[in-house]
Amino acid sequence: MSPRSASVNEELRRRSRERLLQAAVEVVSEHGYEATTLGDITDRAGSARGLVSYYFPGKRQLVQSAVHRLMHRTLEEALEREPRTEDGRERMARAIDAILGLARDRPVLMRQHMAGLLQAEGFMPCPEQRRLAELLRDTVARHGSPDPDADYPMLRALLMGSVYAALVPGVPMPLPVLRAELFKRYRLDWELGVPPDTETASGGTGDTDLSRFFATGAVADHGGDGQSK
């Protein structure tokens, strides 16, 4: 058997990383951050425990990257769902609903994520976070911002604050109230996006199957040409 091509090896590494990200989301959602070990995550991913350090400095970085990946893909799915639209106000409404939907549907995971951001390590940039940032910045630009670089951090802060307010133990704020405040700030009609009283959620479906967000399928080498299936 001929050796695998470099492109197939790269694809295998990418999919191995994706499996770790998906497993981190699943296990932390089920058990919380503190009760989750790297061994739990690698066991769920079917990966060698030493492989984590190849991709991530530690558990905190892995979990942050995993949540940012879920946020990015949830937001992307919401923005591009049918009917497709280029209307900036509708896209802003979908973005808000997507992030608030994660607070509604994955409270344990998002609460742990917010707590992690307040730890000593704080916010740690990663490829997943950069893709999320690009998508949110584009949303601000399409909404009509004259200065997306200045307005994007405010949108990010407002969304993070809303998620925190929705999940703070003991005194959570209702998501419809938070949504109303965000819609008021961005001058959005309540009917845009997916209002809370409708059946279909534009973000955070509550599905337990996360495979559509993480490319973890099999890879085959076709004569060393690097193609995968």
Side-chain angles (χ1 to χ4, degrees), residues 33-34 57-64 68 112-126:
Y33 179 82
E34 295 299 334
K59 185 173 75 166
R60 180 69 67 188
Q61 291 86 347
L62 167 57
V63 173
Q64 257 196 51
H68 283 140
Q112 298 297 322
H113 178 62
M114 298 304 297
L117 295 177
L118 298 175
Q119 299 297 316
E121 301 93 337
F123 176 80
M124 292 168 284
C126 62

Side-chain angles (χ1 to χ4, degrees), residues 97 100 104 174-180 183 189-202:
D97 285 339
L100 293 183
R104 177 192 65 235
L175 283 172
V177 173
L178 296 166
R179 183 184 195 264
F183 271 44
D189 297 331
W190 185 257
E191 294 74 21
L192 294 174
V194 180
D197 56 350
T198 60
E199 291 295 325
T200 304
S202 70

Side-chain angles (χ1 to χ4, degrees), residues 119-141:
Q119 299 297 316
E121 301 93 337
F123 176 80
M124 292 168 284
C126 62
E128 287 73 24
Q129 182 276 326
R130 287 191 288 271
R131 284 190 282 270
L132 173 63
E134 289 167 2
L135 207 51
L136 284 173
R137 185 190 179 283
D138 179 70
T139 299
V140 169

Side-chain angles (χ1 to χ4, degrees), residues 13-201:
R13 285 191 291 269
R14 186 182 71 82
R15 289 176 184 264
S16 177
R17 187 176 186 275
E18 295 274 308
R19 283 194 296 271
L20 289 169
L21 292 171
Q22 179 176 342
V25 166
E26 292 174 350
V27 179
V28 173
S29 293
E30 295 167 9
H31 305 294
Y33 179 82
E34 295 299 334
T36 296
T37 67
L38 285 175
D40 295 330
I41 295 171
T42 55
D43 287 347
R44 179 69 62 90
S47 301
R49 298 192 181 189
L51 191 61
V52 174
S53 60
Y54 180 80
Y55 300 109
F56 305 99
K59 185 173 75 166
R60 180 69 67 188
Q61 291 86 347
L62 167 57
V63 173
Q64 257 196 51
S65 293
V67 177
H68 283 140
R69 175 57 182 270
L70 179 62
M71 293 173 70
H72 164 248
R73 293 303 304 275
T74 298
L75 178 57
E76 183 179 59
E77 186 177 84
L79 292 173
E80 300 306 319
R81 77 168 189 271
E82 298 295 339
R84 299 281 294 276
T85 181
E86 298 300 321
D87 179 77
R89 297 175 72 248
E90 170 64 20
R91 291 179 70 86
M92 177 64 78
R94 291 186 184 189
I96 291 171
D97 285 339
I99 302 304
L100 293 183
L102 285 172
R104 177 192 65 235
D105 296 335
R106 302 193 180 278
V108 173
L109 180 70
M110 296 306 293
R111 188 179 294 117
Q112 298 297 322
H113 178 62
M114 298 304 297
L117 295 177
L118 298 175
Q119 299 297 316
E121 301 93 337
F123 176 80
M124 292 168 284
C126 62
E128 287 73 24
Q129 182 276 326
R130 287 191 288 271
R131 284 190 282 270
L132 173 63
E134 289 167 2
L135 207 51
L136 284 173
R137 185 190 179 283
D138 179 70
T139 299
V140 169
R142 294 189 190 213
H143 185 253
S145 168
D147 189 356
D149 289 330
D151 291 337
Y152 153 67
M154 179 56 70
L155 174 61
R156 180 184 64 196
L158 290 169
L159 290 173
M160 291 174 63
S162 295
V163 169
Y164 178 84
L167 297 177
V168 62
V171 287
M173 289 194 66
L175 283 172
V177 173
L178 296 166
R179 183 184 195 264
E181 285 299 311
L182 289 169
F183 271 44
K184 180 180 178 181
R185 178 182 179 86
Y186 289 102
R187 298 183 174 87
L188 305 174
D189 297 331
W190 185 257
E191 294 74 21
L192 294 174
V194 180
D197 56 350
T198 60
E199 291 295 325
T200 304

Side-chain angles (χ1 to χ4, degrees), residues 206-221:
D207 295 341
T208 57
D209 182 8
L210 297 172
S211 59
R212 71 186 187 281
F213 292 150
F214 301 90
T216 56
V219 177
D221 193 346

